[in-house]
């Protein structure tokens, strides 16, 4: 089952689709309003784009600098080639210290690596502490959005989940009451945790420090209480210097939720006495993408989710329809790089409206990249056979004006002669929800020629050089 | 200035009255033009489908056919954007002739052309109707005709709005989402039929809420998508290409004759 069928299933619930679309449009509108308040919004985007591109250019040297600085500050740096290595490193660190209870703040990287199930198999309990993440964790679902993991759920559904998993009273759907319940439940888990795992928004080469943003304080609580902090960071998160942070942080919060600044911006550098900070740097396919000129810019992504919020397809198909860790436009560019065959439908889950490229704070040319994937799909013969054949025939017809006019004319004549219901049947799926346009008896070229002939009869000068006698049947 | 008109393949076959409206308009404005008979398709559907080879082939055909013109004008923001910008392969100068002096550089969407040449100066057209303008994504975000709602760039002229706004009596209704996609997207409309229709229906609802009588656009493809959905639901909305509105407003005499021409 691919995106098409999952999206169809989502859209079938018109009420949920409407509500999902409006919830995300609301966030898009907040982003617009926040952008209005920054005098040089577009210049800021350009600056961020330049910073992230420089970082990609200098990626190896920047990470080496980071490692030296972080180590000097007292952190321990680990390198993971792929998800397995990442999971093994984290599991080993926890095992060696006898840790069985872990709190984890939001991290798409650990989702990508499947860290939770890996640790759970070893008897280690992992509690996601971001409220949205916690809700989907309790439902055994993946996040449907990279910033708002539970945006696909209504509060009633959250209430049902809490009733089932936390013994909350049935029918509870008051957001404040639900949040209080989750907070109470999480607080005990924070206190019991022996280690905190976090993601990373920016790793600063100059200082060897890590920046993590959040809105719920769970990052600080989850790293301040336990003595062990493991930060998992993707290879694309490096930035050259401290001075780059204000640019990126201003854009991140505004693009993500329309906030001027995230409620918490936590900086980590080294570890104080008696505590440990481990940084696990993960490649997992990123260096391969870096070598692809058509797609490398996708590594500039700062995971704000703005392209998801603005995408008219994402808003109406839901994050789960993508079947990937990262959904939406950026996911449709990144995920095919991992497995093109499995995600062959994603580059086509897009009308090329271009809205994503306009909101992207680091100016990733998402529509061009989706188009490039379509080209790769075609070149590797991964489009359905029927589609390829139909397009080849269409191209042959369109290469010959006589053929176009003949086929077009016959088609229209036939459609006009046959009963409407039959024509609609033949024109499916276009006509499942759409009426066929009234088909003209003659094509433009035919009408144009007629018009010129009439003009000549009246002795008016003809304006066209159109040559006559091309056997025009349409 | 030698002007070549490109009437896209689907307009030729499905909405000839749009092509005729451009002809009427140009005749009224005294713009000399030619319509090369060999023209068919610019290659866009193949480029967006990912089939670059076929897009290239049709693109080269397009280049050859329009090589002798100073300007290529087309009543389609989408086709103009393809020829000008995407060309199936952004790195290739062959397609759409993106290089210096190539057809890519010389191709103009109709409204853009009319505004750039100030063709309607001194003409007073009248259209006393409430009109909803459906922004063509490609005219707006690819050709930068105006500023998309996401962008905070300095204001730009939006040719289609400028032309319609100059008509006497017209009321351009205020949409809740002024530039959301109609959901057509070429093969997307077939392959992602369910999402495509949802997107189109949402646009129609926006126009209806805003009180539009007529929905117009610089792209026939968007209009075919919206019209199909609206007609099936018995909506009273009328869908007309901006060339038709301008031609009716500026060259009203010809309208009746044209309608009687049996083009439908």
């Amino acid at each position: 089952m691919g995106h098409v069928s999952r999206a169809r299933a989502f859209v079938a619930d018109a009420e949920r689709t409407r509500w999902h679309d409006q919830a995300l449009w609301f966030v898009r509108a907040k982003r617009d309003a926040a952008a209005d308040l920054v005098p040089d919004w577009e210049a800021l985007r350009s600056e961020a784009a330049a910073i992230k591109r420089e970082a990609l250019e200098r990626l190896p040297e920047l990470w080496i600098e980071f490692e030296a600085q972080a180590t000097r500050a007292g952190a321990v740096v680990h390198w993971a080639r792929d998800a397995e290595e990442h999971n093994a490193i984290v599991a080993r660190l926890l095992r060696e210290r006898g840790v069985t209870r872990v709190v984890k703040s939001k991290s798409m990287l650990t989702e990508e690596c499947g860290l939770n199930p890996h640790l759970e198999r070893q008897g280690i309990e992992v509690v996601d502490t971001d409220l949205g993440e916690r809700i989907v964790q309790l439902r055994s679902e993946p996040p449907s959005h990279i910033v708002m993991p539970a945006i696909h759920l209504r509060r009633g559904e959250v209430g049902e989940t809490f009733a089932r998993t936390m013994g909350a009273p049935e029918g509870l759907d008051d957001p404040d009451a639900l949040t209080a319940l989750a907070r109470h439940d999480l607080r005990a888990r924070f206190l019991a945790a022996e280690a905190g795992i976090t993601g990373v928004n920016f790793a600063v080469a100059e200082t060897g420090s890590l920046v993590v943003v959040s809105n719920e304080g769970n990052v600080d609580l989850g790293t301040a209480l336990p003595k062990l902090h493991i930060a998992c960071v993707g290879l694309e998160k490096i930035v050259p210097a401290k001075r780059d942070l204000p640019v990126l942080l201003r854009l991140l919060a505004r693009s993500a939720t329309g906030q001027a600044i995230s409620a918490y911006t936590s900086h980590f550098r080294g570890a104080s006495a008696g505590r440990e900070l481990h940084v696990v740097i993960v490649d997992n396919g990123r260096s391969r993408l870096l070598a692809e000129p058509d797609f490398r810019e996708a590594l500039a992504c700062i995971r704000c989710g703005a392209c998801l919020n603005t995408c008219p397809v994402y808003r109406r198909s839901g994050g789960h329809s993508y079947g990937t860790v990262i959904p939406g436009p950026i996911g449709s560019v990144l995920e095919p790089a991992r497995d093109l065959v499995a995600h062959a439908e994603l580059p086509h889950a897009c009308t090329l409206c271009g809205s994503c490229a306009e909101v992207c704070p680091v100016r990733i040319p998402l529509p061009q990249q989706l188009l490039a994937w379509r080209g790769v799909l075609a070149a590797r013969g991964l489009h359905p056979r029927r589609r390829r054949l139909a397009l080849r025939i269409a191209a042959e017809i369109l290469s010959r004006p006589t053929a176009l006019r003949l086929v077009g004319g016959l088609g229209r004549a036939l459609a006009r002669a046959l009963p409407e219901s039959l024509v609609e049947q033949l024109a499916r799926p276009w006509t499942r929800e759409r009426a066929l346009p009234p088909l003209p008896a003659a094509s433009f070229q035919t009408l144009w020629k007629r018009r010129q002939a009439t003009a000549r009869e009246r002795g008016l000068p003809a304006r066209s050089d159109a040559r006559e006698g091309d056997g025009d049947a349409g | 200035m030698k002007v070549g008109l490109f009437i896209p393949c689907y307009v030729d076959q499905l909405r000839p009255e749009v092509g005729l409206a451009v002809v009427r308009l140009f005749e009224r404005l005294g713009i000399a033009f030619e319509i090369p008979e060999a023209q068919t398709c610019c290659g866009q559907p193949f480029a967006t489908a990912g089939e670059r080879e076929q897009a290239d082939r049709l693109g080269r055909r397009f280049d050859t056919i329009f090589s002798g013109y100073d300007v290529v004008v087309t009543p389609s923001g989408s086709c103009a954007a393809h020829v000008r910008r995407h060309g199936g392969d952004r790195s290739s100068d062959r397609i759409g002739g993106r290089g210096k002096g190539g057809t890519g550089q010389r191709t103009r969407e109709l409204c853009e052309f009319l505004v750039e040449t100030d063709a309607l100066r001194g003409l007073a057209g009248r259209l006393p109707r409430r009109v909803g303008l459906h922004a063509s994504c490609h005219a707006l975000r690819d050709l930068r005709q105006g500023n998309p709602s996401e962008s905070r760039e300095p204001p730009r002229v939006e040719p289609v709005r400028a032309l319609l706004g100059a008509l006497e009596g017209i009321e351009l209704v205020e949409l809740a989402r002024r530039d959301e996609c109609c959901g057509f997207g070429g093969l997307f409309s077939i392959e992602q039929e369910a999402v495509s229709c949802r997107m189109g229906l949402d646009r129609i609802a926006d126009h209806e809420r805003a009180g539009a009588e007529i929905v117009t656009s610089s792209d026939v493809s968007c209009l075919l998508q919206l019209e199909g959905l609206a007609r099936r639901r018995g909506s009273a909305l009328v869908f007309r290409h901006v060339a038709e509105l301008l031609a009716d407003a500026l060259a009203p005499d010809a309208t009746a004759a044209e309608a009687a021409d049996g083009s439908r």
Side-chain angles (χ1 to χ4, degrees):
Chain A
M1 195 156 129
H3 181 267
V4 172
S5 40
R6 281 189 293 253
R8 191 187 300 124
F10 191 86
V11 168
D13 186 343
E15 177 49 29
R16 181 184 289 271
T17 307
R18 188 189 61 80
W19 160 82
H20 190 263
D21 166 62
Q22 285 177 353
L24 288 154
W25 185 262
F26 176 72
V27 182
R28 155 74 205 273
K30 276 172 68 183
R31 171 261 174 213
D32 289 355
D36 279 333
L37 296 176
V38 177
D40 288 320
W41 179 255
E42 298 299 339
L44 201 62
R45 285 176 73 216
S46 297
E47 206 172 327
I51 290 168
K52 288 296 284 190
R53 274 156 189 76
E54 184 201 336
L56 293 179
E57 288 295 324
R58 299 172 50 205
L59 199 88
E61 54 164 303
L62 289 176
W63 274 118
I64 289 166
E65 188 186 349
F66 173 88
E67 182 178 34
Q69 293 299 334
T71 307
R72 188 179 308 162
V76 183
V77 174
H78 308 261
W79 299 84
R81 202 181 304 274
D82 52 27
E84 285 73 48
E85 279 193 16
H86 162 263
N87 293 348
I89 291 167
V90 175
R92 180 174 52 77
L93 291 172
L94 297 174
R95 236 181 10 247
E96 283 171 359
R97 287 155 188 80
V99 171
T100 56
R101 280 169 299 184
V102 176
V103 284
K104 182 163 77 70
S105 70
K106 229 168 81 46
S107 152
M108 293 313 293
L109 175 65
T110 57
E111 287 288 334
E112 170 189 325
C113 294
L115 180 66
N116 285 17
H118 181 85
L119 295 180
E120 281 156 7
R121 275 194 299 274
Q122 307 195 13
I124 299 169
E125 181 201 61
V126 190
V127 175
D128 284 316
T129 56
D130 172 271
L131 179 55
E133 289 261 298
R134 182 64 180 153
I135 293 167
V136 295
Q137 183 181 37
L138 290 171
R139 296 171 61 89
S140 307
E141 274 179 2
S144 71
H145 189 288
I146 61 178
V147 174
M148 299 167 282
I151 191 69
H152 60 291
L153 298 171
R154 283 175 275 205
R155 56 192 187 188
E157 291 168 305
V158 175
E160 284 163 27
T161 305
F162 284 6
R164 188 162 43 77
T165 57
M166 283 198 261
E170 295 286 335
L172 190 66
D173 71 348
D174 173 53
D176 288 338
L178 289 168
T179 307
L181 258 176
R183 174 176 288 142
H184 182 76
D185 181 79
L186 279 172
R187 191 54 58 106
R189 296 172 194 275
F190 275 117
L191 290 168
E194 300 137 331
I197 297 177
T198 68
V200 171
N201 292 96
F202 306 104
V204 185
E206 176 190 31
T207 54
S209 58
L210 305 168
V211 180
V212 188
V213 302
S214 67
N215 274 324
E216 298 168 18
N218 56 321
V219 171
D220 295 74
L221 205 53
T223 53
L225 295 175
K227 294 214 172 348
L228 172 63
H229 173 191
I230 303 173
C232 304
V233 54
L235 211 54
E236 78 282 18
K237 299 290 189 194
I238 192 83
V239 296
K242 251 184 333 195
R243 65 166 184 278
D244 299 325
L245 291 174
V247 176
L248 295 164
L249 287 168
R250 285 179 84 194
L251 281 166
L252 177 57
R254 288 177 171 86
S255 301
T257 55
Q259 290 167 274
I261 187 83
S262 307
Y264 299 85
T265 303
S266 313
H267 296 250
F268 299 98
R269 186 161 181 264
S272 50
R275 309 180 68 91
E276 291 182 79
L277 169 61
H278 291 262
V279 185
V280 188
I281 304 164
V282 188
D283 182 348
N284 206 32
R286 286 163 177 76
S287 57
R288 230 179 21 244
L289 200 61
L290 193 64
E292 299 264 2
D294 282 349
F295 304 112
R296 66 178 303 179
E297 283 177 274
L299 291 171
C301 175
I302 58 172
R303 302 288 189 274
C304 69
C307 63
L308 280 60
N309 304 339
T310 202
C311 176
V313 178
Y314 174 88
R315 273 187 268 112
R316 290 174 185 80
S317 62
H320 289 157
S321 68
Y322 291 79
T324 53
V325 174
I326 300 182
I330 184 65
S332 300
V333 170
L334 290 173
E335 304 282 358
R338 298 190 186 287
D339 188 343
L340 186 57
V341 175
H343 303 306
E345 286 183 6
L346 294 188
H348 292 287
C350 158
T351 61
L352 298 174
C353 80
S355 185
C356 51
E358 301 290 333
V359 295
C360 177
V362 290
R363 298 189 185 275
I364 299 172
L366 292 158
Q368 281 81 1
Q369 293 181 332
L370 290 168
L371 206 51
W373 273 127
R374 295 181 189 184
V376 174
L377 285 166
R380 297 202 193 150
L382 290 172
H383 285 140
R385 249 173 62 93
R386 264 183 55 189
R387 179 191 209 267
R388 289 200 322 255
L389 187 66
L391 284 168
R392 203 178 307 153
I393 292 169
E396 289 303 325
I397 293 169
L398 289 166
S399 300
R400 297 171 181 81
T402 322
L404 170 64
R405 267 125 226 173
L406 186 68
V407 173
L410 278 173
R412 276 181 284 107
L414 209 59
R416 286 161 67 93
L418 293 171
E420 202 178 312
S421 59
L422 180 60
V423 180
E424 295 226 327
Q425 199 60 41
L426 291 171
R428 275 173 173 250
W430 174 267
T431 48
R432 200 183 59 88
E433 288 201 62
R434 308 172 183 104
L436 273 179
L439 293 170
S443 73
F444 168 76
Q445 289 282 351
T446 301
L447 294 172
W448 166 236
K449 258 186 236 157
R450 248 184 240 164
R451 189 186 168 96
Q452 282 179 295
T454 316
R456 266 196 305 277
E457 278 166 28
R458 291 191 199 140
L460 297 171
R463 285 186 190 275
S464 168
D465 74 337
R467 290 170 296 278
E468 300 292 323
D470 193 29
D472 191 341
Chain B
M1 185 173 63
K2 204 169 164 200
V3 177
L5 259 189
F6 172 55
I7 305 299
C9 47
Y10 63 98
V11 178
D12 174 59
Q13 291 296 317
L14 298 173
R15 289 292 294 266
E17 60 271 36
V18 173
L20 290 175
V22 180
V23 166
R24 262 159 57 206
L25 194 61
F26 275 27
E27 287 178 352
R28 170 77 178 87
L29 300 173
I31 299 168
F33 62 92
E34 293 177 1
I35 305 176
E37 198 180 348
Q39 63 177 275
T40 52
C41 168
C42 63
Q44 182 190 200
F46 302 92
T48 55
E51 304 291 342
R52 288 180 183 171
E53 212 177 296
Q54 290 150 0
D56 272 26
R57 202 168 119 199
L58 286 159
R60 282 196 296 275
R61 239 191 125 252
F62 183 92
D63 281 353
T64 311
I65 289 163
F66 287 101
S67 61
Y69 295 92
D70 301 315
V71 190
V72 185
V73 180
T74 182
S76 163
S78 196
C79 297
H82 169 72
V83 175
R84 264 229 318 259
R85 298 209 177 243
H86 290 297
D89 178 356
R90 296 168 77 233
S91 62
S92 166
D93 272 355
R94 288 177 309 154
I95 303 133
R98 287 184 68 249
K100 198 156 175 276
T103 42
Q105 280 200 338
R106 290 180 280 113
T107 298
R108 289 288 174 277
E109 182 276 325
L110 173 71
C111 299
E112 194 176 49
F113 173 77
L114 293 175
V115 168
E116 279 176 15
T117 56
D118 202 7
L120 269 59
R121 185 180 40 193
L123 289 177
R126 196 175 143 68
L127 185 70
R129 306 289 291 273
R130 286 193 307 278
V131 176
L133 173 58
H134 172 74
S136 149
C137 292
H138 294 159
L140 188 65
R141 299 194 186 88
D142 275 353
L143 296 179
R144 307 312 283 189
Q145 293 189 6
N147 248 358
S149 57
E150 304 90 2
S151 169
R152 294 297 174 270
E153 287 165 14
R156 280 190 191 83
V157 174
E158 192 178 349
V160 58
R161 200 175 285 277
L163 295 174
L164 290 173
L167 297 177
E168 194 189 313
I170 194 169
E171 185 194 332
L172 285 170
V173 301
E174 192 81 26
L175 299 171
R177 301 184 187 179
R178 70 173 167 92
D179 56 8
E180 180 151 85
C181 178
C182 69
F184 175 67
L187 279 183
F188 180 90
S189 63
I190 304 286
E191 293 178 340
Q192 286 271 2
E193 185 265 348
V195 177
S196 169
C197 289
R198 187 69 254 159
M199 287 168 68
L201 289 170
D202 288 353
R203 291 288 78 231
I204 291 166
D206 198 355
H207 285 277
E208 283 176 341
R209 264 194 308 270
E213 298 167 274
I214 301 171
V215 176
T216 192
S217 172
S218 55
D219 259 308
V220 170
S221 47
C222 309
L223 292 173
L224 286 173
Q225 151 90 346
L226 295 174
E227 184 175 26
L229 289 162
R231 280 167 57 92
R232 174 63 66 85
R233 274 149 200 80
S235 162
L237 284 174
V238 173
F239 297 83
R240 308 208 59 200
H241 189 270
V242 64
E244 296 177 276
L245 296 188
L246 291 175
D248 285 0
L250 293 163
D253 304 351
T255 317
E258 216 65 68
D261 210 14
S263 63
R264 282 217 159 189

